[in-house]
Structure formats: C-alpha cells, structure tokens
Amino acid sequence: MENLPGDASGPSPGYEPSAPSAPPGRTPTAPAKPDLGSGSQRAGPGAASEALALLTSFGRRVLVLVPVYLAGAVGLSVGFLLFGLALYLGWRWIRDQKERSLRVARQLLDDEERLTDQTLCLSQRELPAWVSFPDVEKAEWLNKVVAQVWPFLGQYMEKLLAETVAPAVRGSNPHLQTFTFTRVELGEKPLRILGVKVHPGQRKEQILLDLSISYVGDVQIDVEVKKYFCKAGVKGMQLHGILRVILEPLVGDLPIVGAVSMFFIRRPILDINWTGMTNLLDIPGLSSLSDNMIMDSIAAFLVLPNRLLVPLVPDLQDVAQLRSPLPRGIIRIHLLAAHGLGSKDKYVKGLIEGKSDPYALIRVGTQMFCSRVIDEELNPQWEETYEVMVHEVPGQEIEVEVFDKDPDKDDFLGRMKLDVGKVLQAGVLDDWFPLQGGQGQVHLRLEWLSLLSNAEKLEQVLQWNHGVSSRPEPPSAAILVVYLDRAQDLPLKKGNKEPNPMVQLSVQDVTQESKAVYSTNCPVWEGAFRFFLQDPQSQELDVQVKDDSRALTLGALTLPLARLLTAPELTLDQWFQLSSSGPNSRLYMKLVMRILCLDPSEVCFPAVPSPPGTWGLDGESPQAGSSVDVPPRPSHTTPDGHFGTENVLRIHVLEAQDLIAKDRFLGGLVKGKSDPYVKLKLAGQSFQSHVVREDLSPLWNEVFEVIVTSIPGQELEVEVFDKDLNKDDFLGRCKVNLTTVLNSGFFDEWLTLEDVPSGRLHLRLEHLTSRSTATELEEVLQVNHLIRTQKSAELAAALLSIYLERAEGLLLQKGTKPTSPYAILTVGDTSHKTKTVAHTSAPVWDESASFLIRTPNTESLELQVRGEGTGVLGSLSLPLSELLAADMLCLDHWFTLNSGQGQVLLRAQLGILVSQYSGVEAHGHSYSHSSSSLSEETELWGGLPHITSSAPELRQRLTHGGSPLEAPAGPLGQVKLTVWYYSEERKLVSIVHSCRALRQYGRDPPDPYVSLLLLPDKSRGTKRKTSQKKRTLSPEFNERFEWELPLDEVLQRKLDISVKSNSTFMTRECELLGKVQLDLAEIDLAQGAAQWHDLMHDKGRSSS
C-alpha cells in the first residue's frame, strides 16, 4: 500500500535519515536541524514524480485496450482478440520462466560460493594421507582471478564491439549503416570455472585443459538501428558447458605458449533473456526456434570441429593447421538394429497399446545423421552406415538417441553415449548398448579408420569397398581437407566496385561455402573444409569464387583429385590460377588427402569380394556393412605426423676474445684475468664447458648435441661466466635464433657478448640430417671420432625415435585385480618414463621418446613394463643392430616381453645423423692421388653444390680413415695435417689436427703450439699459429687456417710448419721442437688427406 503525503505511517516529505555514526575515536556530529520552512518546496518534486508514475501506469492500461478498440472498429471477430491474448500470455509465461530460471541459477551460484568459502577453511595439510583428489580439480583461485579481471574484460568487450564488430556489421549491409551498440555491460556476476581437468598431451608440444564453465550473468547488451528506430538486446544469460583449451605449440621463448585454441567439445547449454524487439523471440513457437538458431551460430564458431585460435607469438607457422587440424581419425558407425524398445503409440484414448515407429539420431560434435523410420516395430533392423570425423581423443562422444515418429511431437525412447577413445583403443567395437532414459538396447558396430599419408593401399581399399554393403551412402576411401587461404586480383564488379567474394567448394554432390569478405578483390578467408571421397582417382574438386549475391562469378577452378595422389604426402600447398577471371586472378589453397584404412596390415583384401550376406567358413554370417570380417587387433602403430621429425643440433663452442677481467688480488690493487666457462641452454636442457684458467681469450673447442623440434621462437641462450670460489662472475650473454639455423643448416659466427663492455664468442652450429639407410654409418663414425675433442663426450651417430602405443596380456597374479602399468624406456644412461594407466592389463600409452645413439652397432633399447606397487611385469631388450638390418631402419610390430606373458606394440625408428657440411656424400667418389689429376680434381671440388668453407675439413679425414697402417713416429715426433685448395672460394686451407710423440728436452713436458708460414713470404700476413697446450707431448689442436690466394700462386709456395714450446721464464725465445716443409706443388690439393708428417731438425726436411 502506497504511503500518502502526510500519512503518519510513512516518512513525511521533509523526512531526512539520521546521520551516519562517526568512526571510532571521533566525536559524533549532531544532525542538522530540518528547515521547516522548506518543507513545501521539498514536497513539490515528490508529488510530481508520483503523479507522473500514476499517469504512466494509466497510459499503459489504455494502450492495452487500443487493440480491442481497433478490432471492434475494423469489425474483426472475437477470435482474433483471443488469439492475440493467448500469444501475449504465452510470451509472458516464457519471459517469467526465463527470469525465474535466472534467479534460481544465481541463487544456486551464490550458495555454492558461500559453501566453498566455508569448506576451504580445512587446509590440505589437515587432511589424512588416504584422501585422494579426483582428476577434475576445483579452481577457486582461478575464479578469484576471473572475478578481479571481469570489469576490465567488460571494458575490452565494449571497445571490441564498438570499434571492430559494429563497423563490420555496418559494412555488411546498406540497411545497417546506422547500427550501433548503445550499451555493453558484462554485469557483476563473472563466469565461474567449476572444475579443471588436465589431459596428458598427445604430443610434447601441447597442453590440454578441460574447463567446466558456468555463467549465470546479468549481462546487458543493447543495440540500435537508428534509421528504423529498432532497438534490441540481451539482459541476462546462462551458459553451461565443457570448454577445451589447447596450449600449442610450446616454444622456447616467452610467452612459452605459441597459441591458444578454444572450443566446446559438445554443444553447450544456452538460455538468453531478450529485450527490445528481440522480445518477439520469446513468443511460443519462436522461442525454441530462436534458441536453436543461436546454438547453431555458436556451434559454427566454437563447437568442434570449429575452434577459436589466438596466436600469442608473431610469425607463427602452420596457423591454418592449428586453426583447423587434420582429424585424429574416422569412425565408421554401423547402425544395425535395436531390441526391446518401449511402446509409445496408443489407440482409443490409451485403451489399446500399439507399438512404435522408431528412428535414430546419431551425433558426434556438430555432425548429425538421422536414420530411416521403421513403422510399427519394437525390434527394428536399420542396417545403415555413417562416417564421422573425430578431432579430439579423449573428449568427443558418440551419442545415439532413439525416437518414436509421430505427426505432432516425436516421443523419446532412450539414448546412449560412448567416448570415442574406447573405439580408438579397441579398433573395432561390436556390441549391444543399453538405452538410458528408456528401455531396450541398440546394436552398433564401430570401426576406427586410420589416416594414411600415402596412396599405397588405395587400390586395395577401393576393391574392398566395392564389396561392402553400405547405405545410405557408399563407404569412403579417403578424406579431403581444403585450407582456403586467400585470393588475389579478383575482377571488379560493374562500375569498378569492389566485390564481396565468397567461395563455393564442391566434390560430387556435396557443396560447402565460405564466409563472404566485404568490399575487397584480395579477400582473406582462412577457412577449412572437409569432404569424404568415395573414389579419389575419378573425383574432382570444383571451386567457384562468387560475389555474395551468388549472381556474379569472379573465377572458377576444377582440380582432378588424382593429382593429389602423386604429390608428396598427398598434399598440395600452392597458388592456383583461376579461369573465367582476371589475368592475374589466383587462389591460394592447401589441399590434404588421407586414405582411410582400418588397419594397414590386418584388413583382409580379397581378390574377388564376397557378395553381401554370404556365409563364412565357420558357418557364421558376417555383419552387414562391416569393413572387416573379424575384429582385428592392430598390428602396426599409428603415431601422429610429428613422430620422427625431431632435429639434432650440434653445437661447437670454439673460443672467445677480449673477455673482461674479473679476478682481483691484494684487495683489488692488482688486476688479474678471468677463468671463463660457457653455459648453454636450449630445449629445456643445459650444458657447461670446461673452465679455462687465467685467460681472456680462451679456447674451449667443445662439442655438444641436443634434440630439438621445429617449434618457432626457440633460441639458444649462451652465457659466459668467470669461475670463482664463492659466486661466479658474469662475463656476458648472447642468443641464437634456431629457426635460422634449422633452415640454413649451418651457422658459424663471432657473436658480440651483451650486457658487458667487451667480449665476443665464436660458435658453430650444425643441423644434422637424419638418413634412413645404414650405408653411411661407418663414415659417420669415422667423422665423429676425428672431430671429437678431449673435453667433449662421444658424438652421436644416430637418432632413435620410439613410439610406444600399447600393451596387451600383461602378467597378473592370481586373485588380484589388474595393476596400473607404466613403461620405462632406457638407452645407455638416458631414460623415459611413460604415464601410468590405471587398473588395466591392456594399457594404451601413445607416447614417443627420442634418444641420441653413439654406437648403433653395440647399443640396445631396454624396455621395462612395471606395475604401480607390483614391480616388473615384463621386459624387452632390442639390440639396435636389428634396426640396422631392417628395411628403412624401422621395426613396427608387436614385441613379446621376456616374462613370457604380454606383448607391447611399438615403433622403433633409427636415423643416421649425417652432417651436410662434412663431405660424407662426396666420399663415395674416387679421387686419384697423383699430381697429374690436379686440374680434374680441382674442377670436381669446385663444382660440388652447397659446400661451405668448412665442408672439405671432414672429407679429408674420411679419406684418412681408410688409409693403410701408418709408420711409427720419428725421433722428434709427428704432426698431423690436412692441406687442400678450396677452389670455390679460392682459398688454401690447412687444418692442424694434433701432434704425437714429441720430444721432451727438460724435466717438464713442453707447452707446444704450431706455427705455419707460407714461404718464400715471411711477413706476418701469411703467418698463422695455433693455441698453446699445457704440459703435453701429444697435443690436440683441430684448428683451421686459410690463405686467400689463386691456385697458380699456391703451387709456387711452400708451407713451413714449426712445432714450438712456450718461452722459458728467463728468456723470450721459443724452443723449437721440430719442423717440416711441404712443397705445395707436390701435394694433391684437390684430394688432400689428413696425414702424419715426421718432424725434423731446423735444417732438415720432411719425409711423409
């Protein structure tokens, strides 16, 4: 009841609330006395507002009567009024239901927050040890972060809608040129994350998160088209679903994650409260229709196979592949029959019970199929086959709903759901599945089809498909994925107007359309389209580029799909010229084909396909529509496309110059030097060189090797330190972008050290190529032995890639439940542990690991399958020599464990690591050692492609590796040299490898180094010398020197090599340990060989 002015029961118009209480410690301030004289002035506005509200209420009631008056004036019947009243009441009821649902949801959300706050007072350390936590975890900390960020997200959304979305809407249609957002508020209720589940990634370069989200918000978004005085909006919304977030790829630089992909695995639950003109969507009949249309729009944007990709790093590679990756596999669904369905049809007002007219709906993500209706049958036989693409395992589900067909509303008979991961694990799953929410069972046969990237099995697949009974469509032999990127220089419309191009792609009778890009003749679509192919040898892809009105064709293209069958990995990635278009009009697309095969080895491909319905030898009838006659066990692994694509990087830390001095003596009065060493960080691994004592221009000459992937953004981080007793001093840092090294294959530069006044570092990086043949193994082993330094570990000769897919029949103790198995892969001192699969004797791991192999002839792979808490379940030892004898250095099959019970399915693949710059490829040529063939050899070496200045270095060593047994050293020792002429760069190159058996003149061993001089010129310009080695009679140098001279001048020179020792304390002279002179005209400079030369006295000459 309203309070009238002057009513004693309510506050008077001059009423003022009491002043707020003062803060503690302050004297309360007396309330101001009301001014009685102003009471009449204050009563004025209050009375006016109440009168205005009363008039507004009266006006609304009068407006309700206007339709009644108009109906009477026009002479309409009362039925129209009753129909309008029914529409209004239905609309009002739906509105009240939505508002009530929003209020209840908000109340539940508040209660959950309150309960969570109360229960979180018990910390984890107060919980007993036996309490276990589920794999779906609460994320209250994340909800607090979201709540804090929510207002700022609202500001971003307002800016995004106003500056990006609104202009796009205005440009899409001339009637929407006055479209604008008048209000954008996300409200005070933030989105809540009810749980987080982390899946082990299918690859090491990704992280999979499933977020259970719930949004019951007071969002308010209002739009207006001023030209038509049209207002609409949303006030309040509910959204519930499972959002999958994929962090991929992981990169070796900030922000660590290259991109974030988001999508709903299944259609989320959505409820929207409309305002303005969109109130009409709540009219009965339109309400469910509008919600379905909106859900279809969301599904086209954020439900698999569609996803939202947010790149986080610039120049991200394979963006199209991340936005629309290839399917993980194909599931062929044979909907065979149902049994014991419920009866829904009633006759004579329910007195007589009939049967049902069942049909089935099959849904996987956004893919949906509807079977035919079978009349009056509770045990229907459908015998239909459908094929669906599977993108996420685990996560996606096969959902089958059975309905009874009726003229008005179909009755629900039951549903079943099955995770696609079970089909992947089984290969073929043939079973009766109970229907939930009803009665009866449905019979399904589910087959997992792998994707093959070669066409070797295509003929067999086509032959088999011809003998398979399948309806309503014949079985597919392949899939085609088209990545539509962009177009260039499309023709203009009449009047030189920019077109609004879109693309229609058709394969046979299936047509898909891209979005329209407005007002441009160089559109960018960045969309993916997928087609099933029955016969790739005869089908064609038809592409039509049109204006969005579909009336004007801007270009066309017809591509026979047989062209893909001869392309590498069944892939074309290129520009395509458009016909019936401009002279420079072209389209950029990437087309990927994959052959569908249940199992590349165990699928039976008969020479003459048996007709459907024939009986097998065992007297049993095969299932109709089946791809195989018996459910097979996979005999080969199915790794993803990234398996075996790792790269091996060889890092040579050579030397540094002009490092800063950090050592101080006598309280800093005496300046010393530094004791430098190098730290390397790459791909989560770190390496450290040895320490060189008291040297500002140290020589390390160490080699390190690391396995890296082709993820963009990776960098090799190098830091130089001075070794101290307490804390090492920083001497500088530098970085090398790996993308450059992996693309070029070689990197050899002096790098300036950063964050220090002076210093530079000499690094050499080499990308090793992996070969699937063992013919070059011996040469690679020789190369590795020769370039290995004293301080470096033995170098890798091969890369071993292991893909461990699954195990079966593991050993179980009597009377015990299946254990939780995991596997440990070990090569040498390197191990890899797989994930643990809970409570099964047939675990599926789907994991890969890589190992560097130094001596493939002697090493072996050790595998142990262990149970959590039960010890070893079985083991396997695989000598790598078996891989060397295998075709393509690969073994892929089931291996029996040594326990006698249980097998593992794995793929072991070996790649011989060949340096592209070592000359191993050229070693197969035969070269004459006679001086008469010098000109021929020079031309041959100069003509070799892609050989850098370092290329012949290892080539000469390989020649030495096959030489006869060397003569014993002379009385003064020997020096090992390689000398050749590199005609491509017109350089004389010499490598000083080492010395041996040097003569010791005093009590202590000498500190030797080697000096080289080109005679007869004795100037400093031709003089070179190695670093100095401390106290040794067999120093290792492995240093390279070059002289830029034409060949004819080189042939007139002599190379003088002197081995000297460091000067003594009392004199500045160097002690000569021996020397040798080489007449370059008498040496085969084209072949050049690493040879030992006897050291002679000063006046002597060598005899090699």
Side-chain angles (χ1 to χ4, degrees), residues 459-468 604-606 626-629:
E459 289 295 338
Q460 295 172 313
V461 172
L462 290 173
Q463 184 183 14
W464 181 259
N465 286 351
H466 285 314
V468 174
C604 179
F605 297 105
S626 173
S627 296
V628 292
D629 42 354

Side-chain angles (χ1 to χ4, degrees), residues 76-88:
L76 297 176
S77 68
V78 181
F80 285 95
L81 292 177
L82 294 178
F83 176 72
L85 180 61
L87 276 181
Y88 172 77

Side-chain angles (χ1 to χ4, degrees), residues 912-1101:
I912 306 301
L913 298 177
V914 178
S915 169
Q916 296 178 352
Y917 301 86
S918 66
V920 173
E921 296 180 37
H923 182 58
H925 298 278
S926 60
Y927 300 101
S928 171
H929 289 266
S930 64
S931 59
S932 62
S933 62
L934 177 61
S935 59
E936 292 183 33
E937 304 297 340
T938 303
E939 290 180 6
L940 182 59
W941 283 116
L944 284 175
H946 308 297
I947 301 296
T948 68
S949 60
S950 65
E953 172 181 347
L954 301 182
R955 182 182 297 115
Q956 317 311 323
R957 302 184 187 190
L958 284 176
T959 307
H960 171 70
S963 63
L965 199 61
E966 295 132 350
L972 299 184
Q974 291 181 321
V975 59
K976 186 178 181 182
L977 299 172
T978 297
V979 183
W980 79 96
Y981 187 76
Y982 187 26
S983 60
E984 188 172 318
E985 296 189 4
R986 297 170 60 86
K987 290 180 179 179
L988 176 68
V989 182
S990 176
I991 300 176
V992 181
H993 298 290
S994 58
C995 297
R996 66 182 180 185
L998 295 180
R999 185 170 179 178
Q1000 182 174 334
Y1001 290 96
R1003 185 179 59 182
D1004 297 325
D1007 299 332
Y1009 67 93
V1010 179
S1011 174
L1012 298 95
L1013 189 64
L1014 270 182
L1015 300 178
D1017 187 2
K1018 295 186 178 182
S1019 65
R1020 298 179 63 90
T1022 65
K1023 187 175 182 180
R1024 308 285 190 270
K1025 73 174 184 176
T1026 68
S1027 59
Q1028 191 171 16
K1029 303 302 177 181
K1030 300 290 185 180
R1031 296 176 179 264
T1032 177
L1033 297 175
S1034 299
E1036 291 277 349
F1037 299 104
N1038 290 320
E1039 297 186 37
R1040 173 194 177 103
F1041 304 98
E1042 299 176 354
W1043 294 267
E1044 292 189 9
L1045 294 171
L1047 180 60
D1048 54 353
E1049 185 177 343
V1050 168
L1051 297 177
Q1052 300 174 11
R1053 300 282 190 124
K1054 295 182 179 180
L1055 183 62
D1056 183 86
I1057 303 103
S1058 301
V1059 181
K1060 301 179 180 181
S1061 179
N1062 190 24
S1063 58
T1064 62
F1065 180 75
M1066 299 298 296
T1067 178
R1068 308 189 70 163
E1069 296 180 357
C1070 296
E1071 182 180 7
L1072 180 65
L1073 302 180
K1075 66 183 303 182
V1076 60
Q1077 270 191 12
L1078 302 179
D1079 191 342
L1080 298 180
E1082 298 177 0
I1083 298 178
D1084 186 357
L1085 295 178
Q1087 169 65 16
Q1091 294 185 5
W1092 289 100
H1093 300 270
D1094 287 335
L1095 294 174
M1096 310 297 292
H1097 291 287
D1098 192 7
K1099 294 183 180 182
R1101 189 170 180 178

Side-chain angles (χ1 to χ4, degrees), residues 887-913:
D887 185 28
M888 301 296 290
L889 308 186
C890 179
L891 293 175
D892 188 351
H893 56 79
W894 288 92
F895 293 83
T896 301
L897 298 176
N898 293 339
S899 62
Q901 181 175 349
Q903 292 180 313
V904 292
L905 178 61
L906 67 83
R907 178 186 181 96
Q909 179 175 304
L910 200 63
I912 306 301
L913 298 177

Side-chain angles (χ1 to χ4, degrees), residues 62-257:
V62 170
L63 287 175
V64 171
L65 298 176
V66 169
V68 180
Y69 172 77
L70 292 177
V74 179
L76 297 176
S77 68
V78 181
F80 285 95
L81 292 177
L82 294 178
F83 176 72
L85 180 61
L87 276 181
Y88 172 77
L89 292 176
W91 171 83
R92 191 72 229 176
W93 183 80
I94 291 177
R95 294 278 297 174
D96 292 342
Q97 286 288 99
K98 286 191 173 184
E99 292 176 357
R100 190 179 303 110
S101 175
L102 281 173
R103 287 196 299 271
V104 171
R106 289 173 186 165
Q107 184 63 38
L108 288 174
L109 201 60
D110 293 339
D111 293 344
E112 183 182 5
E113 291 179 356
R114 195 160 43 248
L115 181 61
T116 301
D117 293 338
Q118 292 174 0
T119 55
L120 283 180
C121 62
L122 183 62
S123 64
Q124 290 189 5
R125 64 176 180 270
E126 296 171 331
L127 296 175
W130 49 264
V131 174
S132 62
F133 294 91
D135 54 355
V136 179
E137 302 174 358
K138 289 284 187 179
E140 287 305 315
W141 65 271
L142 192 54
N143 287 321
K144 293 178 181 179
V145 172
V146 173
Q148 191 78 10
V149 174
W150 193 252
F152 302 96
L153 181 61
Q155 297 175 15
Y156 169 75
M157 287 297 299
E158 183 177 2
K159 182 178 179 181
L160 176 68
L161 294 176
E163 298 180 1
T164 303
V165 177
V169 173
R170 287 194 289 266
S172 65
N173 195 303
H175 300 291
L176 298 178
Q177 292 180 355
T178 57
F179 176 89
T180 183
F181 288 93
T182 58
R183 185 174 184 178
V184 178
E185 293 181 3
L186 292 189
E188 298 180 356
K189 296 290 185 180
L191 177 142
R192 283 187 56 79
I193 299 173
L194 304 181
V196 178
K197 181 175 182 178
V198 181
H199 297 278
Q202 301 168 10
R203 300 186 298 273
K204 295 180 180 179
E205 298 84 14
Q206 68 173 197
I207 299 174
L208 274 66
L209 305 172
D210 281 347
L211 307 181
S212 177
I213 64 172
S214 177
Y215 177 58
V216 185
D218 49 352
V219 58
Q220 185 161 354
I221 301 177
D222 295 334
V223 300
E224 182 180 5
V225 182
K226 296 182 180 179
K227 181 178 180 180
Y228 301 100
F229 304 100
C230 177
K231 295 183 179 181
V234 173
K235 185 177 182 180
M237 182 175 66
Q238 292 188 65
L239 179 66
H240 310 278
I242 304 296
L243 181 70
R244 172 156 291 184
V245 179
I246 300 181
L247 310 180
E248 181 188 16
L250 302 181
V251 298
D253 198 359
L254 293 178
I256 305 301
V257 178

